[in-house]
PDB file of all heavy atoms in Angstrom:
ATOM      1  N   ALA A  73       7.919   9.943  -8.576  1.00 97.00           N
ATOM      2  CA  ALA A  73       6.493   9.859  -8.261  1.00 97.00           C
ATOM      3  C   ALA A  73       5.932   8.502  -8.693  1.00 97.00           C
ATOM      4  O   ALA A  73       5.140   7.893  -7.964  1.00 97.00           O
ATOM      5  CB  ALA A  73       5.735  10.994  -8.943  1.00 97.00           C
ATOM      6  N   ALA A  74       6.356   8.026  -9.849  1.00 97.00           N
ATOM      7  CA  ALA A  74       5.882   6.723 -10.326  1.00 97.00           C
ATOM      8  C   ALA A  74       6.346   5.606  -9.393  1.00 97.00           C
ATOM      9  O   ALA A  74       5.583   4.678  -9.119  1.00 97.00           O
ATOM     10  CB  ALA A  74       6.366   6.471 -11.748  1.00 97.00           C
ATOM     11  N   ASP A  75       7.567   5.699  -8.908  1.00 97.00           N
ATOM     12  CA  ASP A  75       8.065   4.696  -7.954  1.00 97.00           C
ATOM     13  C   ASP A  75       7.249   4.707  -6.666  1.00 97.00           C
ATOM     14  O   ASP A  75       6.899   3.658  -6.123  1.00 97.00           O
ATOM     15  CB  ASP A  75       9.540   4.931  -7.641  1.00 97.00           C
ATOM     16  CG  ASP A  75      10.452   4.620  -8.807  1.00 97.00           C
ATOM     17  OD1 ASP A  75      10.004   3.948  -9.768  1.00 97.00           O
ATOM     18  OD2 ASP A  75      11.631   5.047  -8.773  1.00 97.00           O
ATOM     19  N   ALA A  76       6.929   5.903  -6.177  1.00 98.00           N
ATOM     20  CA  ALA A  76       6.141   6.018  -4.951  1.00 98.00           C
ATOM     21  C   ALA A  76       4.726   5.477  -5.171  1.00 98.00           C
ATOM     22  O   ALA A  76       4.183   4.761  -4.317  1.00 98.00           O
ATOM     23  CB  ALA A  76       6.092   7.469  -4.487  1.00 98.00           C
ATOM     24  N   VAL A  77       4.123   5.807  -6.310  1.00 97.00           N
ATOM     25  CA  VAL A  77       2.773   5.329  -6.618  1.00 97.00           C
ATOM     26  C   VAL A  77       2.771   3.815  -6.783  1.00 97.00           C
ATOM     27  O   VAL A  77       1.857   3.129  -6.307  1.00 97.00           O
ATOM     28  CB  VAL A  77       2.213   6.039  -7.877  1.00 97.00           C
ATOM     29  CG1 VAL A  77       0.932   5.379  -8.354  1.00 97.00           C
ATOM     30  CG2 VAL A  77       1.978   7.512  -7.584  1.00 97.00           C
ATOM     31  N   TYR A  78       3.788   3.286  -7.437  1.00 97.00           N
ATOM     32  CA  TYR A  78       3.871   1.832  -7.604  1.00 97.00           C
ATOM     33  C   TYR A  78       3.928   1.130  -6.242  1.00 97.00           C
ATOM     34  O   TYR A  78       3.197   0.172  -6.003  1.00 97.00           O
ATOM     35  CB  TYR A  78       5.104   1.474  -8.437  1.00 97.00           C
ATOM     36  CG  TYR A  78       5.291  -0.010  -8.599  1.00 97.00           C
ATOM     37  CD1 TYR A  78       4.503  -0.738  -9.471  1.00 97.00           C
ATOM     38  CD2 TYR A  78       6.273  -0.695  -7.861  1.00 97.00           C
ATOM     39  CE1 TYR A  78       4.669  -2.112  -9.615  1.00 97.00           C
ATOM     40  CE2 TYR A  78       6.431  -2.049  -7.986  1.00 97.00           C
ATOM     41  CZ  TYR A  78       5.634  -2.759  -8.866  1.00 97.00           C
ATOM     42  OH  TYR A  78       5.788  -4.116  -8.979  1.00 97.00           O
ATOM     43  N   GLY A  79       4.766   1.618  -5.353  1.00 97.00           N
ATOM     44  CA  GLY A  79       4.842   1.033  -4.012  1.00 97.00           C
ATOM     45  C   GLY A  79       3.532   1.132  -3.269  1.00 97.00           C
ATOM     46  O   GLY A  79       3.120   0.213  -2.558  1.00 97.00           O
ATOM     47  N   TYR A  80       2.837   2.262  -3.446  1.00 97.00           N
ATOM     48  CA  TYR A  80       1.536   2.450  -2.813  1.00 97.00           C
ATOM     49  C   TYR A  80       0.516   1.456  -3.367  1.00 97.00           C
ATOM     50  O   TYR A  80      -0.245   0.855  -2.615  1.00 97.00           O
ATOM     51  CB  TYR A  80       1.078   3.896  -3.030  1.00 97.00           C
ATOM     52  CG  TYR A  80      -0.262   4.211  -2.453  1.00 97.00           C
ATOM     53  CD1 TYR A  80      -0.466   4.240  -1.073  1.00 97.00           C
ATOM     54  CD2 TYR A  80      -1.342   4.496  -3.261  1.00 97.00           C
ATOM     55  CE1 TYR A  80      -1.698   4.552  -0.544  1.00 97.00           C
ATOM     56  CE2 TYR A  80      -2.574   4.801  -2.742  1.00 97.00           C
ATOM     57  CZ  TYR A  80      -2.751   4.823  -1.379  1.00 97.00           C
ATOM     58  OH  TYR A  80      -3.975   5.111  -0.849  1.00 97.00           O
ATOM     59  N   PHE A  81       0.502   1.287  -4.679  1.00 97.00           N
ATOM     60  CA  PHE A  81      -0.438   0.337  -5.285  1.00 97.00           C
ATOM     61  C   PHE A  81      -0.162  -1.091  -4.817  1.00 97.00           C
ATOM     62  O   PHE A  81      -1.082  -1.847  -4.544  1.00 97.00           O
ATOM     63  CB  PHE A  81      -0.362   0.406  -6.807  1.00 97.00           C
ATOM     64  CG  PHE A  81      -1.039   1.607  -7.415  1.00 97.00           C
ATOM     65  CD1 PHE A  81      -0.949   1.842  -8.772  1.00 97.00           C
ATOM     66  CD2 PHE A  81      -1.753   2.515  -6.653  1.00 97.00           C
ATOM     67  CE1 PHE A  81      -1.567   2.934  -9.358  1.00 97.00           C
ATOM     68  CE2 PHE A  81      -2.378   3.621  -7.221  1.00 97.00           C
ATOM     69  CZ  PHE A  81      -2.287   3.815  -8.586  1.00 97.00           C
ATOM     70  N   VAL A  82       1.094  -1.454  -4.720  1.00 96.00           N
ATOM     71  CA  VAL A  82       1.440  -2.792  -4.231  1.00 96.00           C
ATOM     72  C   VAL A  82       0.946  -2.970  -2.805  1.00 96.00           C
ATOM     73  O   VAL A  82       0.339  -3.997  -2.459  1.00 96.00           O
ATOM     74  CB  VAL A  82       2.962  -3.049  -4.333  1.00 96.00           C
ATOM     75  CG1 VAL A  82       3.363  -4.296  -3.567  1.00 96.00           C
ATOM     76  CG2 VAL A  82       3.397  -3.148  -5.789  1.00 96.00           C
ATOM     77  N   GLN A  83       1.164  -1.981  -1.966  1.00 96.00           N
ATOM     78  CA  GLN A  83       0.719  -2.073  -0.576  1.00 96.00           C
ATOM     79  C   GLN A  83      -0.800  -2.128  -0.496  1.00 96.00           C
ATOM     80  O   GLN A  83      -1.358  -2.862   0.318  1.00 96.00           O
ATOM     81  CB  GLN A  83       1.252  -0.889   0.237  1.00 96.00           C
ATOM     82  CG  GLN A  83       1.006  -1.016   1.725  1.00 96.00           C
ATOM     83  CD  GLN A  83       1.714  -2.227   2.324  1.00 96.00           C
ATOM     84  OE1 GLN A  83       2.844  -2.538   1.967  1.00 96.00           O
ATOM     85  NE2 GLN A  83       1.040  -2.907   3.227  1.00 96.00           N
ATOM     86  N   ARG A  84      -1.493  -1.378  -1.342  1.00 95.00           N
ATOM     87  CA  ARG A  84      -2.960  -1.447  -1.373  1.00 95.00           C
ATOM     88  C   ARG A  84      -3.419  -2.856  -1.728  1.00 95.00           C
ATOM     89  O   ARG A  84      -4.365  -3.377  -1.129  1.00 95.00           O
ATOM     90  CB  ARG A  84      -3.520  -0.462  -2.410  1.00 95.00           C
ATOM     91  CG  ARG A  84      -3.621   0.952  -1.936  1.00 95.00           C
ATOM     92  CD  ARG A  84      -4.177   1.845  -3.037  1.00 95.00           C
ATOM     93  NE  ARG A  84      -5.435   1.410  -3.587  1.00 95.00           N
ATOM     94  CZ  ARG A  84      -6.631   1.755  -3.109  1.00 95.00           C
ATOM     95  NH1 ARG A  84      -6.712   2.550  -2.083  1.00 95.00           N
ATOM     96  NH2 ARG A  84      -7.730   1.300  -3.690  1.00 95.00           N
ATOM     97  N   GLU A  85      -2.758  -3.470  -2.697  1.00 94.00           N
ATOM     98  CA  GLU A  85      -3.142  -4.822  -3.094  1.00 94.00           C
ATOM     99  C   GLU A  85      -2.884  -5.820  -1.983  1.00 94.00           C
ATOM    100  O   GLU A  85      -3.646  -6.767  -1.790  1.00 94.00           O
ATOM    101  CB  GLU A  85      -2.434  -5.211  -4.387  1.00 94.00           C
ATOM    102  CG  GLU A  85      -2.972  -4.442  -5.577  1.00 94.00           C
ATOM    103  CD  GLU A  85      -2.286  -4.784  -6.877  1.00 94.00           C
ATOM    104  OE1 GLU A  85      -1.506  -5.762  -6.919  1.00 94.00           O
ATOM    105  OE2 GLU A  85      -2.525  -4.057  -7.859  1.00 94.00           O
TER     106      GLU A  85
END
Side-chain angles (χ1 to χ4, degrees):
D75 290 345
V77 169
Y78 177 76
Y80 179 68
F81 284 175
V82 168
Q83 188 62 40
R84 279 180 55 89
E85 290 179 10

